Amino acid sequence: MDLRGLALLPLRVSVAATQATLGLGQLASPNGPILREGGYGTRLGQIISEGGLLDQIGRILADERGPIGLANTLADLTSDDRPIGKALARDGLLDRMADEDGPFVRLLEAGGPLDRALSEDGPLYRFLAPGGALDKLLAEEGALDRVLADGGALDKLLVQGGVLDRVLADGGVLERGLAEGGLVEQLLADDGMLERLLVPGGTLDQLVALGATLERLAPRLEALGDAIPGLNSAVGALSGAVEPLSSLAGRLPGGRRRSAVDASPVQPAELE
């Protein structure tokens, strides 16, 4: 540093200190970026003050029904020893359902149930077609109007002490179904009802096989139904043929004597 710079150093320090003081004054002024409305001070207060963002986050984390509590509940429900966890485990129920030969693949394959349902002449298109089921449902004084009318089915469902209250009550149907060892656990448990229903060769496959058997029997039943009128006419023809034969047998001499003997009363002496 030369002599000139050394001589001007106190002046530079003074100028820098003055500028810093002026800057701090501007920052701390009511119209400055810290104290003005919506400034940094207000925002910082919203974060660290009582009831601020940090306080709210702390209360949320401490709440048993908050996100942390829900996450713990979800972790408990999906643990390895719970039905949902077993269903989600590797080679569990969900894996078997999504297997190449599982019900999901059969449901989504070309020509499968979903493909047929979404085809142009399938049930979904018929449901949404003009004048179809949806139009009838939403028509004036249709089923939906009757359900939503005063005193209708929805009112009866939501009335105090009604069906919905009984279902959602403590110890009600829903609570019993979701309780440990309840219907949901029985459905999702290993070798449970759902697994027995969907396992290869299970109830669903047996129902499908039964449907195929009934389809094969349908033509035979139709043929049998067509043959019944012919059988009736044959029985009528046989009845018409038997009556003349009976009359002819009655005209024969031996037949008359036999009839007379059979018709004569038995004497007491003959009985002795």
Side-chain angles (χ1 to χ4, degrees):
M1 180 180 296
D2 56 3
L3 293 176
R4 183 173 176 274
L6 185 61
L8 294 176
L9 180 60
L11 180 60
R12 290 179 179 176
V13 171
S14 300
V15 171
T18 302
Q19 290 177 347
T21 302
L22 292 175
L24 290 174
Q26 185 179 2
L27 288 174
S29 66
N31 295 324
I34 295 178
L35 298 180
R36 70 186 179 190
E37 185 177 357
Y40 297 124
T42 304
R43 295 181 182 179
L44 186 61
Q46 291 175 350
I47 294 175
I48 64 176
S49 63
E50 184 177 357
L53 182 60
L54 291 178
D55 191 18
Q56 294 177 16
I57 291 175
R59 286 201 299 268
I60 290 174
L61 295 178
D63 187 4
E64 293 181 354
R65 297 187 177 182
I68 301 300
L70 292 177
N72 291 333
T73 303
L74 182 61
D76 181 57
L77 289 174
T78 56
S79 59
D80 294 340
D81 58 341
R82 299 298 294 272
I84 297 179
K86 294 177 181 178
L88 296 176
R90 183 179 294 276
D91 296 328
L93 177 62
L94 189 61
D95 277 357
R96 292 196 296 273
M97 292 179 68
D99 191 64
E100 292 182 359
D101 297 327
F104 282 169
V105 176
R106 295 201 299 269
L107 180 67
L108 299 175
E109 65 184 357
L114 189 60
D115 192 11
R116 294 196 300 271
L118 298 178
S119 62
E120 291 186 0
D121 57 345
L124 183 61
Y125 277 81
R126 294 197 301 271
F127 177 74
L128 299 175
L134 184 61
D135 280 354
K136 295 176 182 177
L137 179 66
L138 300 178
E140 188 175 356
E141 296 185 359
L144 188 61
D145 277 355
R146 293 196 298 272
V147 168
L148 299 178
D150 292 338
L154 188 61
D155 276 356
K156 295 176 182 177
L157 181 66
L158 298 178
V159 70
Q160 186 174 2
V163 177
L164 191 61
D165 279 353
R166 294 198 297 272
V167 169
L168 299 178
D170 292 338
V173 177
L174 184 62
E175 187 172 336
R176 292 199 302 271
L178 297 176
E180 186 174 356
L183 178 61
V184 175
E185 285 201 3
Q186 294 177 22
L187 282 173
L188 299 177
D190 288 339
D191 198 27
M193 290 184 284
L194 188 60
E195 185 173 348
R196 291 197 299 270
L197 177 67
L198 299 176
V199 72
T203 307
L204 185 60
D205 285 349
Q206 293 175 11
L207 289 175
V208 173
L210 179 61
T213 303
L214 292 177
E215 287 182 0
R216 291 195 300 270
L217 287 176
R220 300 179 184 178
L221 293 176
E222 290 179 1
L224 181 60
D226 295 337
I228 288 176
L231 290 175
N232 288 333
S233 60
V235 169
L238 287 175
S239 299
V242 167
E243 289 180 2
L245 291 175
S246 299
S247 301
L248 180 61
R251 295 192 187 98
L252 294 175
R256 289 179 179 177
R257 287 196 300 271
R258 190 178 299 110
S259 300
V261 171
D262 292 341
S264 61
V266 179
Q267 300 296 329
E270 293 177 357
L271 291 175
E272 293 176 359

Short mmCIF file of all heavy atoms in Angstrom, two decimals, residues 103-152:
data_model
loop_
_atom_site.label_atom_id
_atom_site.label_comp_id
_atom_site.label_asym_id
_atom_site.label_seq_id
_atom_site.Cartn_x
_atom_site.Cartn_y
_atom_site.Cartn_z
N PRO A 103 -56.35 -63.52 -11.74
CA PRO A 103 -57.63 -62.92 -12.14
C PRO A 103 -57.49 -61.55 -12.77
O PRO A 103 -58.28 -61.20 -13.64
CB PRO A 103 -58.41 -62.87 -10.82
CG PRO A 103 -57.40 -63.01 -9.74
CD PRO A 103 -56.28 -63.80 -10.31
N PHE A 104 -56.49 -60.75 -12.35
CA PHE A 104 -56.32 -59.43 -12.95
C PHE A 104 -56.02 -59.55 -14.44
O PHE A 104 -56.58 -58.82 -15.27
CB PHE A 104 -55.20 -58.66 -12.25
CG PHE A 104 -55.59 -58.08 -10.93
CD1 PHE A 104 -54.64 -57.55 -10.08
CD2 PHE A 104 -56.92 -58.06 -10.54
CE1 PHE A 104 -55.01 -57.01 -8.86
CE2 PHE A 104 -57.30 -57.53 -9.32
CZ PHE A 104 -56.34 -57.00 -8.47
N VAL A 105 -55.11 -60.47 -14.79
CA VAL A 105 -54.74 -60.64 -16.19
C VAL A 105 -55.93 -61.17 -16.98
O VAL A 105 -56.22 -60.71 -18.10
CB VAL A 105 -53.53 -61.59 -16.31
CG1 VAL A 105 -53.20 -61.86 -17.77
CG2 VAL A 105 -52.32 -60.97 -15.61
N ARG A 106 -56.65 -62.13 -16.41
CA ARG A 106 -57.83 -62.65 -17.11
C ARG A 106 -58.89 -61.57 -17.27
O ARG A 106 -59.62 -61.54 -18.26
CB ARG A 106 -58.40 -63.85 -16.35
CG ARG A 106 -57.47 -65.05 -16.29
CD ARG A 106 -58.24 -66.33 -16.00
NE ARG A 106 -58.92 -66.29 -14.72
CZ ARG A 106 -58.39 -66.71 -13.58
NH1 ARG A 106 -57.15 -67.20 -13.57
NH2 ARG A 106 -59.07 -66.66 -12.46
N LEU A 107 -58.97 -60.68 -16.29
CA LEU A 107 -59.95 -59.60 -16.36
C LEU A 107 -59.60 -58.59 -17.45
O LEU A 107 -60.50 -58.08 -18.14
CB LEU A 107 -60.04 -58.90 -15.00
CG LEU A 107 -61.03 -57.75 -14.86
CD1 LEU A 107 -62.45 -58.26 -14.98
CD2 LEU A 107 -60.84 -57.03 -13.54
N LEU A 108 -58.29 -58.32 -17.62
CA LEU A 108 -57.86 -57.26 -18.53
C LEU A 108 -57.45 -57.76 -19.90
O LEU A 108 -57.14 -56.94 -20.78
CB LEU A 108 -56.67 -56.50 -17.90
CG LEU A 108 -56.96 -55.80 -16.57
CD1 LEU A 108 -55.67 -55.19 -16.00
CD2 LEU A 108 -58.01 -54.71 -16.73
N GLU A 109 -57.42 -59.06 -20.13
CA GLU A 109 -56.96 -59.56 -21.41
C GLU A 109 -57.96 -59.25 -22.52
O GLU A 109 -59.14 -58.94 -22.26
CB GLU A 109 -56.73 -61.07 -21.31
CG GLU A 109 -58.00 -61.87 -21.07
CD GLU A 109 -57.71 -63.34 -20.88
OE1 GLU A 109 -56.54 -63.72 -21.00
OE2 GLU A 109 -58.65 -64.10 -20.61
N ALA A 110 -57.46 -59.32 -23.76
CA ALA A 110 -58.33 -59.05 -24.92
C ALA A 110 -59.45 -60.09 -24.96
O ALA A 110 -59.21 -61.29 -24.85
CB ALA A 110 -57.51 -59.11 -26.20
N GLY A 111 -60.66 -59.60 -25.10
CA GLY A 111 -61.81 -60.49 -25.09
C GLY A 111 -62.27 -60.88 -23.70
O GLY A 111 -63.19 -61.68 -23.56
N GLY A 112 -61.60 -60.32 -22.67
CA GLY A 112 -61.96 -60.63 -21.31
C GLY A 112 -63.19 -59.86 -20.85
O GLY A 112 -63.81 -59.12 -21.62
N PRO A 113 -63.55 -60.02 -19.58
CA PRO A 113 -64.76 -59.34 -19.08
C PRO A 113 -64.72 -57.83 -19.24
O PRO A 113 -65.72 -57.23 -19.65
CB PRO A 113 -64.79 -59.75 -17.60
CG PRO A 113 -64.00 -61.01 -17.53
CD PRO A 113 -62.95 -60.90 -18.57
N LEU A 114 -63.58 -57.21 -18.94
CA LEU A 114 -63.50 -55.75 -19.06
C LEU A 114 -63.58 -55.32 -20.52
O LEU A 114 -64.24 -54.31 -20.84
CB LEU A 114 -62.20 -55.25 -18.43
CG LEU A 114 -62.07 -53.73 -18.29
CD1 LEU A 114 -63.18 -53.18 -17.41
CD2 LEU A 114 -60.71 -53.35 -17.72
N ASP A 115 -62.94 -56.07 -21.40
CA ASP A 115 -63.00 -55.74 -22.83
C ASP A 115 -64.43 -55.85 -23.34
O ASP A 115 -64.91 -55.00 -24.10
CB ASP A 115 -62.07 -56.68 -23.60
CG ASP A 115 -61.85 -56.22 -25.03
OD1 ASP A 115 -62.24 -55.08 -25.34
OD2 ASP A 115 -61.28 -56.98 -25.84
N ARG A 116 -65.13 -56.89 -22.92
CA ARG A 116 -66.52 -57.04 -23.34
C ARG A 116 -67.41 -55.95 -22.75
O ARG A 116 -68.33 -55.46 -23.41
CB ARG A 116 -67.04 -58.43 -22.94
CG ARG A 116 -66.35 -59.58 -23.65
CD ARG A 116 -67.15 -60.87 -23.51
NE ARG A 116 -67.33 -61.26 -22.13
CZ ARG A 116 -66.49 -62.02 -21.46
NH1 ARG A 116 -65.38 -62.47 -22.05
NH2 ARG A 116 -66.72 -62.35 -20.20
N ALA A 117 -67.12 -55.56 -21.51
CA ALA A 117 -67.93 -54.52 -20.88
C ALA A 117 -67.77 -53.17 -21.57
O ALA A 117 -68.71 -52.38 -21.63
CB ALA A 117 -67.57 -54.40 -19.40
N LEU A 118 -66.56 -52.91 -22.11
CA LEU A 118 -66.28 -51.62 -22.74
C LEU A 118 -66.43 -51.64 -24.25
O LEU A 118 -66.13 -50.64 -24.91
CB LEU A 118 -64.86 -51.16 -22.37
CG LEU A 118 -64.59 -50.93 -20.88
CD1 LEU A 118 -63.15 -50.53 -20.66
CD2 LEU A 118 -65.52 -49.87 -20.32
N SER A 119 -66.86 -52.75 -24.82
CA SER A 119 -67.05 -52.80 -26.26
C SER A 119 -68.22 -51.93 -26.68
O SER A 119 -69.02 -51.50 -25.85
CB SER A 119 -67.28 -54.25 -26.71
OG SER A 119 -68.46 -54.76 -26.11
N GLU A 120 -68.32 -51.66 -27.99
CA GLU A 120 -69.33 -50.72 -28.47
C GLU A 120 -70.76 -51.20 -28.18
O GLU A 120 -71.65 -50.39 -27.95
CB GLU A 120 -69.16 -50.51 -29.98
CG GLU A 120 -67.89 -49.74 -30.33
CD GLU A 120 -67.82 -49.42 -31.80
OE1 GLU A 120 -68.77 -49.80 -32.52
OE2 GLU A 120 -66.83 -48.80 -32.23
N ASP A 121 -70.97 -52.49 -28.20
CA ASP A 121 -72.31 -53.01 -27.89
C ASP A 121 -72.35 -53.63 -26.49
O ASP A 121 -73.22 -54.43 -26.19
CB ASP A 121 -72.73 -54.05 -28.93
CG ASP A 121 -71.73 -55.20 -29.02
OD1 ASP A 121 -70.61 -55.05 -28.51
OD2 ASP A 121 -72.08 -56.24 -29.61
N GLY A 122 -71.37 -53.25 -25.66
CA GLY A 122 -71.29 -53.81 -24.32
C GLY A 122 -72.25 -53.13 -23.35
O GLY A 122 -72.96 -52.17 -23.68
N PRO A 123 -72.26 -53.62 -22.13
CA PRO A 123 -73.22 -53.08 -21.14
C PRO A 123 -72.98 -51.62 -20.80
O PRO A 123 -73.93 -50.89 -20.52
CB PRO A 123 -72.99 -53.99 -19.92
CG PRO A 123 -71.67 -54.64 -20.14
CD PRO A 123 -71.49 -54.74 -21.61
N LEU A 124 -71.71 -51.16 -20.82
CA LEU A 124 -71.45 -49.76 -20.47
C LEU A 124 -72.05 -48.82 -21.51
O LEU A 124 -72.67 -47.81 -21.16
CB LEU A 124 -69.95 -49.53 -20.34
CG LEU A 124 -69.54 -48.12 -19.89
CD1 LEU A 124 -70.12 -47.80 -18.53
CD2 LEU A 124 -68.03 -47.96 -19.87
N TYR A 125 -71.88 -49.15 -22.80
CA TYR A 125 -72.46 -48.31 -23.85
C TYR A 125 -73.98 -48.35 -23.78
O TYR A 125 -74.65 -47.33 -23.99
CB TYR A 125 -71.96 -48.77 -25.22
CG TYR A 125 -70.61 -48.22 -25.58
CD1 TYR A 125 -69.44 -48.79 -25.09
CD2 TYR A 125 -70.48 -47.10 -26.40
CE1 TYR A 125 -68.20 -48.29 -25.41
CE2 TYR A 125 -69.23 -46.59 -26.73
CZ TYR A 125 -68.10 -47.19 -26.24
OH TYR A 125 -66.86 -46.68 -26.55
N ARG A 126 -74.54 -49.52 -23.50
CA ARG A 126 -75.99 -49.59 -23.38
C ARG A 126 -76.48 -48.80 -22.17
O ARG A 126 -77.55 -48.19 -22.20
CB ARG A 126 -76.43 -51.06 -23.26
CG ARG A 126 -76.16 -51.88 -24.52
CD ARG A 126 -76.98 -53.16 -24.51
NE ARG A 126 -76.70 -54.00 -23.37
CZ ARG A 126 -75.75 -54.93 -23.35
NH1 ARG A 126 -75.00 -55.14 -24.42
NH2 ARG A 126 -75.55 -55.67 -22.27
N PHE A 127 -75.68 -48.79 -21.12
CA PHE A 127 -76.05 -48.04 -19.92
C PHE A 127 -76.06 -46.54 -20.19
O PHE A 127 -76.92 -45.81 -19.69
CB PHE A 127 -75.06 -48.38 -18.80
CG PHE A 127 -75.30 -47.62 -17.52
CD1 PHE A 127 -76.35 -47.94 -16.69
CD2 PHE A 127 -74.45 -46.58 -17.15
CE1 PHE A 127 -76.58 -47.24 -15.52
CE2 PHE A 127 -74.67 -45.88 -15.98
CZ PHE A 127 -75.73 -46.21 -15.16
N LEU A 128 -75.09 -46.06 -21.01
CA LEU A 128 -74.97 -44.63 -21.28
C LEU A 128 -75.72 -44.18 -22.52
O LEU A 128 -75.73 -42.99 -22.83
CB LEU A 128 -73.48 -44.26 -21.43
CG LEU A 128 -72.60 -44.52 -20.20
CD1 LEU A 128 -71.15 -44.22 -20.52
CD2 LEU A 128 -73.05 -43.67 -19.01
N ALA A 129 -76.33 -45.09 -23.24
CA ALA A 129 -77.00 -44.74 -24.49
C ALA A 129 -78.23 -43.87 -24.21
O ALA A 129 -78.81 -43.92 -23.13
CB ALA A 129 -77.41 -46.01 -25.24
N PRO A 130 -78.63 -43.04 -25.19
CA PRO A 130 -79.87 -42.25 -25.01
C PRO A 130 -81.06 -43.16 -24.77
O PRO A 130 -81.27 -44.14 -25.49
CB PRO A 130 -79.99 -41.50 -26.35
CG PRO A 130 -78.60 -41.45 -26.90
CD PRO A 130 -77.95 -42.73 -26.46
N GLY A 131 -81.81 -42.84 -23.75
CA GLY A 131 -82.94 -43.68 -23.38
C GLY A 131 -82.55 -44.93 -22.62
O GLY A 131 -83.40 -45.78 -22.35
N GLY A 132 -81.26 -45.03 -22.28
CA GLY A 132 -80.78 -46.20 -21.56
C GLY A 132 -81.04 -46.11 -20.07
O GLY A 132 -81.82 -45.29 -19.58
N ALA A 133 -80.34 -46.97 -19.35
CA ALA A 133 -80.57 -47.07 -17.92
C ALA A 133 -80.25 -45.77 -17.20
O ALA A 133 -80.97 -45.36 -16.28
CB ALA A 133 -79.74 -48.22 -17.34
N LEU A 134 -79.17 -45.08 -17.61
CA LEU A 134 -78.80 -43.84 -16.94
C LEU A 134 -79.85 -42.76 -17.16
O LEU A 134 -80.20 -42.03 -16.23
CB LEU A 134 -77.43 -43.37 -17.44
CG LEU A 134 -76.87 -42.12 -16.75
CD1 LEU A 134 -76.68 -42.39 -15.27
CD2 LEU A 134 -75.56 -41.69 -17.39
N ASP A 135 -80.36 -42.65 -18.39
CA ASP A 135 -81.41 -41.67 -18.65
C ASP A 135 -82.66 -41.97 -17.82
O ASP A 135 -83.29 -41.06 -17.27
CB ASP A 135 -81.76 -41.66 -20.14
CG ASP A 135 -80.76 -40.86 -20.96
OD1 ASP A 135 -79.88 -40.24 -20.34
OD2 ASP A 135 -80.85 -40.86 -22.19
N LYS A 136 -83.00 -43.22 -17.72
CA LYS A 136 -84.17 -43.59 -16.92
C LYS A 136 -83.94 -43.30 -15.44
O LYS A 136 -84.85 -42.89 -14.72
CB LYS A 136 -84.49 -45.07 -17.13
CG LYS A 136 -84.93 -45.41 -18.54
CD LYS A 136 -85.14 -46.91 -18.71
CE LYS A 136 -85.51 -47.26 -20.15
NZ LYS A 136 -85.65 -48.72 -20.35
N LEU A 137 -82.70 -43.51 -15.01
CA LEU A 137 -82.37 -43.26 -13.60
C LEU A 137 -82.48 -41.78 -13.27
O LEU A 137 -82.97 -41.41 -12.19
CB LEU A 137 -80.96 -43.77 -13.31
CG LEU A 137 -80.43 -43.59 -11.89
CD1 LEU A 137 -81.23 -44.43 -10.92
CD2 LEU A 137 -78.96 -43.96 -11.81
N LEU A 138 -82.04 -40.92 -14.21
CA LEU A 138 -82.01 -39.48 -13.95
C LEU A 138 -83.26 -38.77 -14.45
O LEU A 138 -83.34 -37.53 -14.35
CB LEU A 138 -80.77 -38.86 -14.62
CG LEU A 138 -79.41 -39.39 -14.14
CD1 LEU A 138 -78.29 -38.74 -14.92
CD2 LEU A 138 -79.23 -39.16 -12.65
N ALA A 139 -84.22 -39.49 -14.98
CA ALA A 139 -85.42 -38.86 -15.51
C ALA A 139 -86.24 -38.23 -14.39
O ALA A 139 -86.09 -38.58 -13.21
CB ALA A 139 -86.26 -39.89 -16.26
N GLU A 140 -87.09 -37.29 -14.77
CA GLU A 140 -87.95 -36.65 -13.78
C GLU A 140 -88.89 -37.69 -13.17
O GLU A 140 -89.50 -38.49 -13.89
CB GLU A 140 -88.76 -35.54 -14.45
CG GLU A 140 -89.56 -34.69 -13.48
CD GLU A 140 -90.24 -33.53 -14.16
OE1 GLU A 140 -90.02 -33.36 -15.39
OE2 GLU A 140 -90.98 -32.80 -13.48
N GLU A 141 -88.96 -37.68 -11.84
CA GLU A 141 -89.73 -38.66 -11.07
C GLU A 141 -89.21 -40.08 -11.31
O GLU A 141 -89.95 -41.05 -11.16
CB GLU A 141 -91.22 -38.57 -11.41
CG GLU A 141 -91.85 -37.24 -11.03
CD GLU A 141 -93.34 -37.23 -11.28
OE1 GLU A 141 -93.87 -38.26 -11.77
OE2 GLU A 141 -93.97 -36.20 -10.99
N GLY A 142 -87.94 -40.16 -11.67
CA GLY A 142 -87.33 -41.46 -11.83
C GLY A 142 -86.84 -42.01 -10.50
O GLY A 142 -87.19 -41.51 -9.42
N ALA A 143 -86.01 -43.03 -10.60
CA ALA A 143 -85.55 -43.70 -9.39
C ALA A 143 -84.76 -42.76 -8.49
O ALA A 143 -84.93 -42.75 -7.27
CB ALA A 143 -84.70 -44.92 -9.77
N LEU A 144 -83.89 -41.93 -9.08
CA LEU A 144 -83.07 -41.03 -8.27
C LEU A 144 -83.94 -39.98 -7.57
O LEU A 144 -83.71 -39.66 -6.40
CB LEU A 144 -82.02 -40.35 -9.15
CG LEU A 144 -80.97 -39.52 -8.41
CD1 LEU A 144 -80.18 -40.39 -7.45
CD2 LEU A 144 -80.02 -38.84 -9.39
N ASP A 145 -84.93 -39.46 -8.28
CA ASP A 145 -85.84 -38.50 -7.65
C ASP A 145 -86.58 -39.13 -6.48
O ASP A 145 -86.76 -38.51 -5.43
CB ASP A 145 -86.84 -37.97 -8.68
CG ASP A 145 -86.27 -36.83 -9.50
OD1 ASP A 145 -85.14 -36.40 -9.20
OD2 ASP A 145 -86.94 -36.38 -10.45
N ARG A 146 -87.00 -40.35 -6.64
CA ARG A 146 -87.73 -41.02 -5.56
C ARG A 146 -86.82 -41.29 -4.37
O ARG A 146 -87.24 -41.21 -3.22
CB ARG A 146 -88.35 -42.32 -6.08
CG ARG A 146 -89.45 -42.10 -7.11
CD ARG A 146 -90.29 -43.35 -7.29
NE ARG A 146 -89.52 -44.48 -7.77
CZ ARG A 146 -89.31 -44.74 -9.06
NH1 ARG A 146 -89.82 -43.94 -10.00
NH2 ARG A 146 -88.61 -45.79 -9.44
N VAL A 147 -85.55 -41.61 -4.66
CA VAL A 147 -84.61 -41.87 -3.56
C VAL A 147 -84.34 -40.59 -2.77
O VAL A 147 -84.26 -40.61 -1.53
CB VAL A 147 -83.30 -42.46 -4.12
CG1 VAL A 147 -82.21 -42.46 -3.06
CG2 VAL A 147 -83.53 -43.88 -4.61
N LEU A 148 -84.21 -39.45 -3.48
CA LEU A 148 -83.86 -38.18 -2.84
C LEU A 148 -85.06 -37.39 -2.36
O LEU A 148 -84.89 -36.32 -1.77
CB LEU A 148 -83.04 -37.32 -3.81
CG LEU A 148 -81.70 -37.92 -4.28
CD1 LEU A 148 -81.03 -37.00 -5.27
CD2 LEU A 148 -80.79 -38.19 -3.10
N ALA A 149 -86.26 -37.87 -2.59
CA ALA A 149 -87.46 -37.14 -2.19
C ALA A 149 -87.59 -37.11 -0.67
O ALA A 149 -86.99 -37.93 0.05
CB ALA A 149 -88.69 -37.78 -2.81
N ASP A 150 -88.36 -36.14 -0.16
CA ASP A 150 -88.62 -36.07 1.28
C ASP A 150 -89.32 -37.35 1.73
O ASP A 150 -90.33 -37.77 1.14
CB ASP A 150 -89.50 -34.86 1.61
CG ASP A 150 -88.76 -33.56 1.37
OD1 ASP A 150 -87.51 -33.59 1.38
OD2 ASP A 150 -89.42 -32.52 1.16
N GLY A 151 -88.77 -37.95 2.76
CA GLY A 151 -89.33 -39.21 3.25
C GLY A 151 -88.96 -40.40 2.40
O GLY A 151 -89.49 -41.49 2.61
N GLY A 152 -88.03 -40.20 1.45
CA GLY A 152 -87.62 -41.29 0.59
C GLY A 152 -86.59 -42.19 1.26
O GLY A 152 -86.34 -42.12 2.47
#
